Amino acid sequence: MRTVTQLFGFRSGLFAASLFCICTSFIQAIFAQTNPPPPDPHEMVTHEPRTLTKPADRSAALDLLDRARQNFNLHNISTPYALKVSFETNGAAEMEGEWTMEQLSDGGSHWRWTATATAQSQDSVVIRIGANGHVYGTNPSEPVPLRVQLVRSALHWPIMRNAGASAIRAADVERDGKAMSCLLLSASIPPNPAPRSWVEREYCIDRATGLLQMWSEAPGIYAVYDYDGAAPFHGHTLPRQISIFEDGRPAVQVRVESFEDAPNLDPNLFKPAPEMADAGESFTLASPSRFPMRVDPSDAPTSPFFQPVIVHAILDAQDGSVLDAEALQNSDKDLSRAAIEMVRSTSFPPSGFQQEAFINVQFHMPAATLDGPPIFHSRVRWMIWDRRGKVPPVRRPPRSGN
C-alpha cells in the first residue's frame, strides 16, 4: 500500500522499499563532485569540445541546427502524402515488440496517424486524427506507449526549438568519411565538464548536407540516423533507418518503408468516427523535455559527491503522473531502481500534452561524516528535495507530429 501526500503542488508516495519522496521543483543542482557519464560506443564527442562565445560562431551553429530541424518539419509539405514506418523495440518499457505506423496528411490542416502492435492483440492500436485544430483518438485518455512516442520524437522533432538561449559547445568529428559538427546544448556550462556533461543534449550534423546523423537527448540514449538510399521528397530527406541505443544496447530499430505522394486519399480518413467524436477531444504529444531531480539521504550525512541517473519517462497529460519509465544507466542496479521508483512516485505539473521527459535524478551520496568520502553501497532512505525553481516549459511539436 502506498501513502500519497500533496506538497507544494506535487503528489509523492512513500514506498516500503526505503523511498521517501517530498516535493520538488526543478532547477539545476550544482555538483560538488560527480563522475562523467559512462563511456558509450555511440558517443561521438570524446575530446574536450570548444565553447562557442563569439556571435559569428554561435550564429553558424544555430543555422546548422535550424537547417537540420527543418528537414523533419513535415507540416510545411503542402501536398497530400503518406509515410509508412515499421519498428521493433526491446527493453524494459511497456508494450515492447513489433510495430507499424502510418501517417497521412492532406497537405493542409488535416492529418492522421495510426500505430499498431503487430505481435499483440488488435486492442494495441493507437489512432490520432487532427482536423482544423481539433484532435481525436481511439480512446481520448488512453496513454500513447513510451516506445511509440520515442519513435515519433526521433522522426519529427528530435532537435529542440529556441536553441538560441542555450550555452553551446562544439566538436568537429569525422565518422564514416563524413565531416560532422557535434553540438552540445545546455542551460549553462557546468564547472569542470567532461567531454560531455550530464546536462547536455547532443546533435551531430553532417556539415555538407545539413542532415542529422546522431541525436542524444541525454547521456545513455543515442539515435543514429542512416540515410543510405533515401531520396529527397518535397525538400525533405528522411532517414531510411534509425537505430536507437540505450545504455549501450539496441533498444529500437526504425525503418522508413515509404514516404510518397498520396493524391487519392479518402477525405473520410480525416473525420473522427462517431464514437471518437462522442468521446471528446484527445491529448497530443509534446516534444522531449529535460529537468533535474535532486535526491539526498533523509537520515545520513552527505558527501560532496553526486551520482546522476537519467530516467526516461512519459507523463500523463491531465494529472502529470508517470505512465512508464526506464533508467538509461544500469551499472548500479540499486541506484537505477531507486531512481525509477522515485520518479514513478511523483506526479509532475500537467501540461495538457503527454510529455516525454528525460529526468536527471541526482543522488547526493551519503557519507559517514559530513563532507566525508562517499559511501556507494549502503541501504539509504532517499528524499527528493524541493528546489523551488521554475518548471521548464513544455515544447510543443509541430501540428504534423501530434
Side-chain angles (χ1 to χ4, degrees):
M1 181 177 178
R2 185 173 79 173
T3 303
V4 178
T5 58
Q6 181 85 22
L7 292 171
F8 303 109
F10 297 87
R11 291 197 297 275
S12 301
L14 179 63
F15 284 82
S18 307
L19 294 170
F20 176 63
C21 298
I22 63 173
C23 66
T24 182
S25 34
F26 310 108
I27 66 172
Q28 180 64 49
I30 300 176
F31 297 168
Q33 300 175 26
T34 183
N35 283 327
D40 193 288
H42 304 98
E43 176 57 63
M44 293 193 186
V45 179
T46 56
H47 301 285
E48 189 75 19
R50 63 189 183 278
T51 300
L52 302 187
T53 56
K54 295 180 180 179
D57 292 340
R58 286 182 53 85
S59 178
L62 292 172
D63 287 346
L64 188 62
L65 279 170
D66 187 64
R67 182 181 175 189
R69 179 175 50 247
Q70 290 301 325
N71 182 58
F72 293 96
N73 185 14
L74 305 186
H75 83 276
N76 61 12
I77 298 178
S78 58
T79 60
Y81 71 83
L83 170 63
K84 294 183 180 180
V85 173
S86 64
F87 57 98
E88 301 169 2
T89 76
N90 178 48
E94 297 177 5
M95 300 185 70
E96 303 278 16
E98 298 180 356
W99 289 79
T100 61
M101 186 160 58
E102 181 180 50
Q103 179 163 310
L104 306 174
S105 170
D106 70 351
S109 60
H110 298 82
W111 51 264
R112 173 193 180 108
W113 64 263
T114 304
T116 305
T118 58
Q120 301 183 35
S121 71
Q122 289 301 308
D123 290 337
S124 302
V125 178
V126 182
I127 298 175
R128 287 293 183 274
I129 296 175
N132 301 316
H134 301 279
V135 178
Y136 300 90
T138 41
N139 183 331
S141 60
E142 184 177 12
V144 174
L146 180 147
R147 292 302 188 211
V148 174
Q149 185 159 3
L150 174 61
V151 168
R152 293 192 64 75
S153 293
L155 272 172
H156 294 297
W157 52 87
I159 299 178
M160 67 178 295
R161 292 184 292 174
N162 304 318
S166 300
I168 305 175
R169 299 196 298 159
D172 296 327
V173 175
E174 184 170 332
R175 182 167 293 190
D176 299 328
K178 298 175 182 176
M180 289 180 273
S181 289
C182 289
L183 304 174
L184 304 168
L185 276 66
S186 61
S188 61
I189 304 298
N192 302 316
R196 184 184 183 183
S197 166
W198 286 95
V199 301
E200 289 176 311
R201 298 177 171 94
E202 182 176 343
Y203 310 102
C204 292
I205 302 170
D206 186 325
R207 292 196 294 269
T209 64
L211 296 177
L212 181 67
Q213 303 295 311
M214 192 277 290
W215 162 50
S216 175
E217 187 69 13
I221 185 168
Y222 296 83
V224 179
Y225 293 76
D226 180 358
Y227 298 87
D228 188 25
F233 178 76
H234 294 285
H236 302 267
T237 303
L238 291 188
R240 292 303 303 271
Q241 295 191 74
I242 306 173
S243 302
I244 302 176
F245 301 89
E246 295 181 352
D247 199 19
R249 294 183 292 271
V252 183
Q253 185 66 40
V254 184
R255 287 174 293 277
V256 174
E257 305 291 355
S258 62
F259 186 27
E260 57 193 12
D261 290 307
N264 299 316
L265 288 176
D266 183 351
N268 290 319
L269 289 171
F270 304 108
K271 296 179 180 178
E275 59 271 20
M276 290 184 184
D278 291 343
E281 293 190 44
S282 183
F283 61 87
T284 57
L285 306 180
S287 49
S289 62
R290 291 198 60 179
F291 52 82
M293 173 186 284
R294 175 176 161 169
V295 178
D296 279 44
S298 66
D299 52 4
T302 55
S303 71
F305 191 89
F306 285 80
Q307 180 57 57
V309 174
I310 305 293
V311 174
H312 177 211
I314 52 173
L315 311 179
D316 187 84
Q318 302 305 319
D319 62 15
S321 62
V322 176
L323 302 168
D324 197 3
E326 58 178 353
L328 299 182
Q329 289 80 32
N330 291 284
S331 58
D332 188 322
K333 300 294 184 183
D334 290 336
L335 278 188
S336 299
R337 188 181 310 111
I340 291 174
E341 289 180 337
M342 280 186 293
V343 167
R344 283 188 175 275
S345 74
T346 303
S347 285
F348 301 94
S351 66
F353 301 89
Q354 181 173 300
Q355 300 178 61
E356 181 180 18
F358 292 82
I359 304 168
N360 186 352
V361 182
Q362 302 162 349
F363 288 95
H364 194 179
M365 301 305 294
T369 59
L370 183 64
D371 292 330
I375 301 173
F376 287 97
H377 301 289
S378 64
R379 291 184 60 83
V380 180
R381 187 177 176 88
W382 295 107
M383 180 173 65
I384 302 175
W385 281 97
D386 173 30
R387 301 292 297 173
R388 303 296 182 96
K390 182 179 179 182
V391 177
V394 174
R395 291 188 285 134
R396 259 183 110 150
R399 59 182 170 84
S400 64
N402 291 318

Short mmCIF file of all heavy atoms in Angstrom, two decimals, residues 26-32 190-191 199 292-296 306 360 362 387:
data_model
loop_
_atom_site.label_atom_id
_atom_site.label_comp_id
_atom_site.label_asym_id
_atom_site.label_seq_id
_atom_site.Cartn_x
_atom_site.Cartn_y
_atom_site.Cartn_z
N PHE A 26 12.09 22.16 -10.24
CA PHE A 26 13.23 21.63 -10.97
C PHE A 26 14.19 22.72 -11.42
O PHE A 26 13.97 23.33 -12.44
CB PHE A 26 12.71 20.84 -12.17
CG PHE A 26 11.64 19.88 -11.80
CD1 PHE A 26 10.31 20.11 -12.14
CD2 PHE A 26 11.95 18.75 -11.07
CE1 PHE A 26 9.33 19.24 -11.77
CE2 PHE A 26 10.97 17.87 -10.70
CZ PHE A 26 9.66 18.11 -11.05
N ILE A 27 15.25 22.96 -10.64
CA ILE A 27 16.34 23.78 -11.13
C ILE A 27 17.61 22.96 -11.02
O ILE A 27 17.68 21.98 -10.28
CB ILE A 27 16.47 25.11 -10.38
CG1 ILE A 27 16.87 24.87 -8.93
CG2 ILE A 27 15.20 25.90 -10.44
CD1 ILE A 27 17.20 26.14 -8.19
N GLN A 28 18.60 23.35 -11.72
CA GLN A 28 19.81 22.55 -11.82
C GLN A 28 20.58 22.55 -10.51
O GLN A 28 20.95 23.58 -9.98
CB GLN A 28 20.70 23.11 -12.94
CG GLN A 28 21.98 22.35 -13.14
CD GLN A 28 21.69 20.94 -13.60
OE1 GLN A 28 20.93 20.75 -14.52
NE2 GLN A 28 22.29 20.00 -12.93
N ALA A 29 20.83 21.35 -9.97
CA ALA A 29 21.68 21.23 -8.80
C ALA A 29 23.12 21.53 -9.19
O ALA A 29 23.55 21.23 -10.28
CB ALA A 29 21.58 19.83 -8.22
N ILE A 30 23.86 22.15 -8.28
CA ILE A 30 25.27 22.44 -8.54
C ILE A 30 26.11 21.33 -7.95
O ILE A 30 26.10 21.10 -6.75
CB ILE A 30 25.66 23.81 -7.93
CG1 ILE A 30 24.82 24.93 -8.54
CG2 ILE A 30 27.15 24.06 -8.13
CD1 ILE A 30 25.07 26.27 -7.92
N PHE A 31 26.77 20.58 -8.79
CA PHE A 31 27.55 19.43 -8.34
C PHE A 31 28.84 19.91 -7.68
O PHE A 31 29.55 20.74 -8.21
CB PHE A 31 27.91 18.54 -9.51
CG PHE A 31 26.72 17.94 -10.20
CD1 PHE A 31 26.89 17.31 -11.40
CD2 PHE A 31 25.45 18.00 -9.65
CE1 PHE A 31 25.82 16.74 -12.06
CE2 PHE A 31 24.38 17.45 -10.28
CZ PHE A 31 24.55 16.81 -11.49
N ALA A 32 29.16 19.31 -6.53
CA ALA A 32 30.48 19.50 -5.97
C ALA A 32 31.45 18.56 -6.69
O ALA A 32 32.51 18.97 -7.16
CB ALA A 32 30.47 19.22 -4.47
N PRO A 190 28.56 23.56 -17.18
CA PRO A 190 28.85 23.17 -15.80
C PRO A 190 30.34 23.29 -15.51
O PRO A 190 31.17 23.29 -16.43
CB PRO A 190 28.40 21.71 -15.75
CG PRO A 190 28.51 21.24 -17.16
CD PRO A 190 28.20 22.42 -18.03
N PRO A 191 30.71 23.43 -14.23
CA PRO A 191 32.13 23.51 -13.90
C PRO A 191 32.82 22.18 -14.19
O PRO A 191 32.25 21.11 -13.97
CB PRO A 191 32.12 23.83 -12.40
CG PRO A 191 30.80 23.32 -11.91
CD PRO A 191 29.84 23.52 -13.05
N VAL A 199 24.23 17.26 -18.28
CA VAL A 199 23.10 18.16 -18.53
C VAL A 199 22.97 18.54 -20.00
O VAL A 199 22.08 19.31 -20.36
CB VAL A 199 23.23 19.44 -17.67
CG1 VAL A 199 23.26 19.10 -16.19
CG2 VAL A 199 24.48 20.24 -18.06
N PRO A 292 16.01 18.36 -13.88
CA PRO A 292 16.69 17.59 -12.84
C PRO A 292 15.80 17.31 -11.65
O PRO A 292 14.78 17.97 -11.42
CB PRO A 292 17.85 18.51 -12.44
CG PRO A 292 17.27 19.88 -12.63
CD PRO A 292 16.32 19.79 -13.79
N MET A 293 16.19 16.33 -10.86
CA MET A 293 15.54 15.99 -9.59
C MET A 293 16.67 15.66 -8.61
O MET A 293 17.33 14.64 -8.73
CB MET A 293 14.61 14.80 -9.76
CG MET A 293 14.01 14.27 -8.47
SD MET A 293 13.06 12.73 -8.72
CE MET A 293 11.58 13.40 -9.46
N ARG A 294 16.91 16.55 -7.67
CA ARG A 294 17.97 16.31 -6.70
C ARG A 294 17.45 15.42 -5.58
O ARG A 294 16.35 15.61 -5.07
CB ARG A 294 18.48 17.63 -6.13
CG ARG A 294 19.50 17.41 -5.01
CD ARG A 294 20.09 18.68 -4.51
NE ARG A 294 20.68 18.49 -3.19
CZ ARG A 294 21.45 19.37 -2.58
NH1 ARG A 294 21.74 20.51 -3.17
NH2 ARG A 294 21.94 19.13 -1.38
N VAL A 295 18.28 14.46 -5.19
CA VAL A 295 17.90 13.46 -4.19
C VAL A 295 18.98 13.41 -3.11
O VAL A 295 20.17 13.27 -3.42
CB VAL A 295 17.74 12.07 -4.84
CG1 VAL A 295 17.40 11.03 -3.80
CG2 VAL A 295 16.66 12.12 -5.91
N ASP A 296 18.57 13.54 -1.84
CA ASP A 296 19.50 13.46 -0.72
C ASP A 296 19.11 12.32 0.21
O ASP A 296 17.93 11.93 0.27
CB ASP A 296 19.49 14.77 0.07
CG ASP A 296 20.34 15.85 -0.56
OD1 ASP A 296 20.30 16.03 -1.79
OD2 ASP A 296 21.06 16.52 0.18
N PHE A 306 27.96 13.70 -6.09
CA PHE A 306 26.65 13.41 -6.68
C PHE A 306 26.81 12.31 -7.73
O PHE A 306 27.80 12.30 -8.47
CB PHE A 306 26.05 14.64 -7.35
CG PHE A 306 25.51 15.67 -6.41
CD1 PHE A 306 26.36 16.55 -5.77
CD2 PHE A 306 24.15 15.76 -6.16
CE1 PHE A 306 25.87 17.51 -4.90
CE2 PHE A 306 23.64 16.72 -5.30
CZ PHE A 306 24.51 17.59 -4.66
N ASN A 360 16.95 13.98 -14.87
CA ASN A 360 18.29 13.78 -14.33
C ASN A 360 18.18 13.64 -12.82
O ASN A 360 18.16 14.62 -12.08
CB ASN A 360 19.16 14.98 -14.71
CG ASN A 360 20.61 14.81 -14.32
OD1 ASN A 360 20.98 13.86 -13.64
ND2 ASN A 360 21.44 15.74 -14.77
N GLN A 362 19.63 13.19 -9.51
CA GLN A 362 20.96 13.49 -8.99
C GLN A 362 21.06 13.02 -7.54
O GLN A 362 20.58 13.70 -6.63
CB GLN A 362 21.24 14.99 -9.11
CG GLN A 362 21.12 15.49 -10.55
CD GLN A 362 20.96 16.99 -10.64
OE1 GLN A 362 20.74 17.67 -9.64
NE2 GLN A 362 21.07 17.53 -11.85
N ARG A 387 13.43 22.30 -4.66
CA ARG A 387 14.40 23.33 -5.01
C ARG A 387 13.76 24.67 -5.36
O ARG A 387 14.46 25.62 -5.70
CB ARG A 387 15.25 22.85 -6.19
CG ARG A 387 15.99 21.55 -5.90
CD ARG A 387 17.07 21.71 -4.87
NE ARG A 387 18.09 22.63 -5.31
CZ ARG A 387 19.09 23.06 -4.56
NH1 ARG A 387 19.18 22.68 -3.31
NH2 ARG A 387 19.98 23.89 -5.04
#
